[in-house]
Amino acid sequence: RRLLADLGSADGSSSLATLDFAVRCLRNCDTIDGYPLLNITFEEHPASDENKLKSTLESNKEWFERNGITWNVLMKSFYEPLFDRNSVDFLMSYICLHWLDTTDLPEGESISHWKTLGDENRTEACDWVHINEATAPLRVQEAWRSKLAINHLAKFLALRARELKPGAEMLLVMVGHPHEFVTLKDGTGPLTRAMKRCIEKGKLRSEILDKTVVPYFLRTVDDVRAAVIVAETFEIDNETPRAKLELIDCRSIAAVTKDDDNGMDGIFDLFWSIHVHCIQAASPTEVELESIKAESRQIFDEVYDSNEGVPSTFVACTLRRRQE
């Protein structure tokens, strides 16, 4: 069987929609001599809900059987080795690689330590929660770009280059910059703005904003290209495997986040589900957390139009493992 891998499967629903398209393309491909048997590995972070992912996959049992596909779930981080060398025929990752490798921290430090990169004394730690906000100091943004965003993606690419078969390809899609969930027209993201308002109203301790950081970096096409170069010399397990990857295509895609059924409520629910765990990591009280949520919802009504949606960007790229 050919091995396909979906990295960062979440609950599996988006994965299956994409895979259904891929399988139909394979069936209609005149260059394939007989439809190949497939095994698909769905990878998700071990802190996620494995039962929810399996439930989604099991509810699509008929689709798997109809297409002769076997599957398995792998609960590991994609920032570590996942498969045997030269074993994967195709790999995809959809809207998750903007999340950084949170194991890349000094021993005993929490994720808020990353606010000290380029700002050792945390003098401007209350100005931002997303590194891509215009209110995050440029020196801090550059520290994140060079030490985290490029290196973490390079690590991912170097690992996958060892696991792909020669000639095999991977398709990666990640949230890119700019995105109005992060940067509004005046430069301040809606979450930072909401937390500042809560502090002004006496509903939130300033230390919660100081400690809150969202551990993702919204890359540009140039950031991805830089990571591909770094991956060539990235060291894994005390060896430098030299990632033999060819960047076939990389592009920035403008998009709009909308919810035609639920309007602004649906857009906000998506935003809150993405960010609430990052706020909780700073240990607010339940009252403080509810205040932040209420203030954030108010800001959404002020700055967004549910009919127009929220402007966003995705970066998509295709890479091929070069032949030996």
Side-chain angles (χ1 to χ4, degrees):
R1 287 180 178 268
R2 296 190 181 184
L3 174 58
L4 278 62
D6 176 60
L7 307 189
S9 298
D11 68 355
S13 54
S14 295
S15 304
L16 287 173
T18 305
L19 287 167
D20 181 61
F21 175 81
V23 168
R24 284 188 280 112
C25 287
L26 284 172
R27 285 194 177 282
N28 295 328
C29 184
D30 294 333
T31 62
I32 295 178
D33 184 17
Y35 176 71
L37 295 176
L38 305 175
N39 180 68
I40 303 175
T41 294
F42 296 88
E43 177 273 345
E44 181 53 37
H45 194 278
S48 300
D49 190 338
E50 180 178 4
N51 290 332
K52 188 173 184 179
L53 172 56
K54 287 183 174 179
S55 176
T56 300
L57 300 176
E58 288 166 357
S59 68
N60 286 270
K61 179 180 178 180
E62 290 185 5
W63 180 83
F64 286 109
E65 291 179 346
R66 185 170 65 253
N67 290 286
I69 298 172
T70 57
W71 60 269
N72 64 288
V73 169
L74 179 63
M75 299 301 290
K76 294 181 70 175
S77 167
F78 52 55
Y79 287 116
E80 59 183 301
L82 299 175
F83 305 101
D84 293 336
R85 295 191 182 195
N86 305 314
S87 65
V88 180
D89 292 280
F90 176 75
L91 181 152
M92 70 177 191
S93 178
Y94 184 65
I95 313 185
C96 56
L97 265 173
H98 50 288
W99 292 98
L100 300 172
D101 179 8
T102 54
T103 65
D104 185 14
L105 286 164
E107 186 175 354
E109 291 287 355
S110 68
I111 200 68
S112 69
H113 171 78
W114 282 350
K115 277 200 168 183
T116 67
L117 295 178
D119 186 17
E120 185 175 350
N121 297 320
R122 306 176 74 96
T123 56
E124 295 167 284
C126 284
D127 291 341
W128 60 280
V129 297
H130 296 93
I131 190 60
N132 295 89
E133 289 182 74
T135 48
L138 285 177
R139 66 183 185 281
V140 181
Q141 290 183 355
E142 287 307 313
W144 274 56
R145 176 176 283 105
S146 61
K147 296 180 180 179
L148 302 178
I150 291 176
N151 275 353
H152 291 184
L153 182 56
K155 178 182 179 181
F156 173 91
L157 295 173
L159 287 166
R160 305 293 82 84
R162 299 200 305 179
E163 297 165 349
L164 287 172
K165 292 179 179 178
E169 298 180 1
M170 57 180 159
L171 171 64
L172 311 176
V173 181
M174 63 199 83
V175 182
H177 183 72
H179 193 300
E180 281 209 6
F181 273 177
V182 174
T183 301
L184 298 175
K185 291 180 175 61
D186 70 351
T188 306
L191 184 54
T192 301
R193 185 183 296 190
M195 295 179 78
K196 282 180 172 290
R197 284 189 186 179
C198 288
I199 292 170
E200 291 170 0
K201 295 177 179 180
K203 296 182 178 181
L204 179 69
R205 292 165 290 159
S206 61
E207 66 189 69
I208 303 302
L209 175 54
D210 178 276
K211 294 178 181 178
T212 299
V213 60
V214 180
Y216 63 58
F217 189 99
L218 306 186
R219 299 181 183 89
T220 64
V221 168
D222 287 342
D223 294 329
V224 174
R225 293 185 184 278
V228 174
I229 294 172
V230 173
E232 289 275 350
T233 56
F234 201 91
E235 185 176 288
I236 300 174
D237 297 333
N238 297 318
E239 67 175 86
T240 305
R242 187 167 178 78
K244 300 178 178 66
L245 290 174
E246 173 190 359
L247 183 61
I248 301 170
D249 192 10
C250 187
R251 62 184 67 181
S252 179
I253 303 170
V256 175
T257 300
K258 294 182 68 176
D259 189 324
D260 293 331
D261 295 326
N262 301 299
M264 191 57 66
D265 285 339
I267 297 173
F268 178 76
D269 287 347
L270 173 63
F271 169 85
W272 189 251
S273 68
I274 293 170
H275 297 95
V276 62
H277 300 298
C278 304
I279 306 169
Q280 290 172 328
S283 301
T285 66
E286 285 299 319
V287 173
E288 287 176 319
L289 188 63
E290 285 303 312
S291 295
I292 296 169
K293 182 177 182 179
E295 201 67 54
S296 298
R297 183 66 181 83
Q298 178 63 37
I299 287 171
F300 266 59
D301 284 333
E302 294 172 7
V303 300
Y304 298 130
D305 184 326
S306 60
N307 294 319
E308 296 179 0
V310 177
S312 58
T313 303
F314 295 95
V315 173
C317 59
T318 307
L319 300 101
R320 179 185 295 123
R321 163 82 183 273
R322 291 197 293 268
Q323 299 284 349
E324 301 293 345

